[in-house]
Amino acid sequence: MAGAKEIRTKIKSIQNTQKITKAMEMVAASKMRRAQERMQAARPYAQKMRNVVAHLARAHPEYRHPFVVERGAKRVGLVIVSTDRGLCGGLNVNLFRAVLSTMEEWHDKGAEIALATIGSKALGFFKRLGGNIISEASQLGDAPAVTDLIGAIKVMLGAYEQGKLDRLFLIHNDFVNTMVQRPEILQLLPVPPSEEQELRHHWDYLYEPDAKDVLDVLFTRYIESLVYQGVVENLACEQAARMVAMKAASDNAGNLIDELQLAYNKARQAAITQEISEIVGGAAAV
Amino acid sequence: MAMTIHVDIASAEEEIHSGPATVVYAPAEMGEIGIYPRHAPLLSRLKPGEVRVQTQSGEELFFFVSGGLLEVQPHVVTVLADTAIRAADLDEAAAQEAQKQAEQQMRDRKSDIDYAKAKAEMVQAAAQLRAIQKLRKRGRG
């Protein structure tokens, strides 16, 4: 009978775990919906930014902003977007693997690497690894604001302007659908020439107050919008991954409970049988 | 029928307005400007202020923007609004904050192997800050 009791306690404890994972699954599902909405909401701005930058790439020959000028790649900056919290399956691990292979590639080419981490998971991981982290932003919550990111981005842009970085990449998870999230690497600087073939006009803008000032702001906002987009997308990925992971955990708990229940029933049955046979044996002896 | 120009107002976090207008007034860096259809292509910074959009029905819509960018093409006006008041000083403060946090994290590290690197990191961060301050002085002078 001792076996039966132990099994009962075990079942109870697994049921409690299952309750928690189920609740987390549902919370993640509703948060994912909101994160997806936020992702959609950020698109028009990013799209318009892209249009303007794409126009600029053709429209303006006399002033070349440093952000569009290619130079050698001796020093490389990576902006790594991760989650703040765990329990989201292999999301961060997959991302870090992609980051590491990129870092290795650049390292083999003899480039120095500087990191900006967004989210405490990336910070923790690359700190442990001994990466050169020059700026970070974490604890962004469920509704990250652009203002939370300005500092971290500004450090990288500043480093680029001063020639301490020759290239800047953004690495984040791409939200393909609820089940699939893929690490994506995007070159931020120098701004890659766009491939959109929409060449209808040949003109230049009037700039107010002057080209340099306007383009400075424009490119800063452009980079910020890309990073923000990455962060928001990563958030949707986080919630989706957590939902899937928690669903799997709940299912596993269910299977385990079923198995244990069967074992418990068997143990209980065995105990009863034994008791009866003991009674019968006792009665026969009397 | 008056000619119209399409207006899009968006911030990084959401789309604010999209629709046709007869005139758009925006607080450009060099003073408020009014944009009628077929304006020349223009790219300007915006000051914090009000964007006014006059619709075809004569109604006037107001939108507050805390700065940003204005792009004008003959038939489209795009206002890329900032989500918060931005100034070079504020940006720099945020940058310093982000850097300080990174430094802090590097300092907290226990491992011996990383210690030397963390030190180098701090030296570099300090150098960077000095450079920012120098740049700032130059910008003022």
Side-chain angles (χ1 to χ4, degrees), chain A:
Chain A
M1 198 57 195
K5 191 160 188 319
E6 269 163 30
I7 294 172
R8 269 205 77 75
T9 356
K10 206 161 208 172
I11 290 178
K12 267 269 165 56
S13 112
I14 294 174
Q15 272 170 342
N16 286 336
T17 310
Q18 193 187 29
K19 266 182 219 158
I20 294 169
T21 56
K22 258 200 185 132
M24 285 184 78
E25 181 194 333
M26 284 187 284
V27 170
S30 83
K31 277 188 180 170
M32 183 185 76
R33 242 189 337 270
R34 257 175 290 151
Q36 268 176 296
E37 278 162 21
R38 212 164 282 127
M39 210 166 87
Q40 300 293 344
R43 270 198 189 138
Y45 183 87
Q47 185 56 46
K48 276 160 200 143
M49 254 317 173
R50 247 196 308 278
N51 288 346
V52 176
V53 171
H55 283 152
L56 260 182
R58 310 173 200 299
H60 198 73
E62 71 239 40
Y63 173 74
R64 301 270 289 167
H65 195 273
F67 284 178
V68 295
V69 179
E70 280 279 343
R71 52 194 193 206
K74 282 255 145 279
R75 276 150 301 189
V76 177
L78 299 174
V79 181
I80 302 160
V81 183
S82 75
T83 68
D84 269 329
R85 276 178 248 158
L87 286 186
C88 48
L91 191 72
N92 286 322
V93 178
N94 287 339
L95 186 78
F96 294 158
R97 203 178 301 148
V99 173
L100 284 179
S101 66
T102 313
M103 281 171 78
E104 206 173 7
E105 229 171 81
W106 284 110
H107 185 81
D108 290 346
K109 287 184 202 162
E112 285 170 46
I113 299 167
L115 303 174
T117 62
I118 297 173
S120 36
K121 286 287 161 190
L123 179 66
F125 182 78
F126 288 100
K127 199 168 88 177
R128 206 163 49 244
L129 227 74
N132 177 21
I133 302 169
I134 60 172
S135 77
E136 70 106 13
S138 52
Q139 307 304 333
L140 300 177
D142 291 329
V146 178
T147 40
D148 299 333
L149 304 169
I150 291 172
I153 300 169
K154 168 98 177 163
V155 173
M156 297 313 261
L157 296 186
Y160 186 88
E161 275 167 7
Q162 290 163 30
K164 288 182 189 165
L165 291 176
D166 300 322
R167 225 164 260 244
L168 188 62
F169 292 93
L170 172 72
I171 306 184
H172 69 99
N173 278 297
D174 187 28
F175 187 89
V176 182
N177 57 44
T178 315
M179 303 301 289
V180 183
Q181 297 91 32
R182 214 175 287 130
E184 196 187 46
I185 300 173
L186 190 75
Q187 182 171 327
L188 295 177
L189 292 176
V191 175
S194 74
E195 286 137 25
E196 278 171 50
Q197 292 304 321
E198 236 185 296
L199 249 175
R200 279 170 294 149
H201 315 287
H202 279 285
W203 38 258
D204 194 5
Y205 288 106
L206 304 169
Y207 297 92
E208 244 184 60
D210 62 63
K212 192 188 168 304
D213 282 3
V214 175
L215 293 185
D216 254 352
V217 174
L218 177 71
F219 280 116
T220 310
R221 298 295 185 277
Y222 176 62
I223 302 296
E224 279 167 8
S225 102
L226 286 176
V227 176
Y228 176 75
Q229 186 86 9
V231 168
V232 178
E233 197 149 323
N234 200 66
L235 193 74
C237 289
E238 177 189 353
Q239 300 301 350
R242 179 164 301 134
M243 190 181 84
V244 172
M246 287 303 115
K247 184 163 172 43
S250 304
D251 290 350
N252 282 343
N255 288 342
L256 219 61
I257 290 171
D258 284 350
E259 270 168 38
L260 284 174
Q261 191 71 49
L262 219 65
Y264 169 73
N265 289 347
K266 263 186 198 152
R268 181 173 154 274
Q269 191 67 53
I272 291 170
T273 313
Q274 198 187 352
E275 219 168 291
I276 289 175
S277 65
E278 273 166 16
I279 291 169
V280 170
V286 173

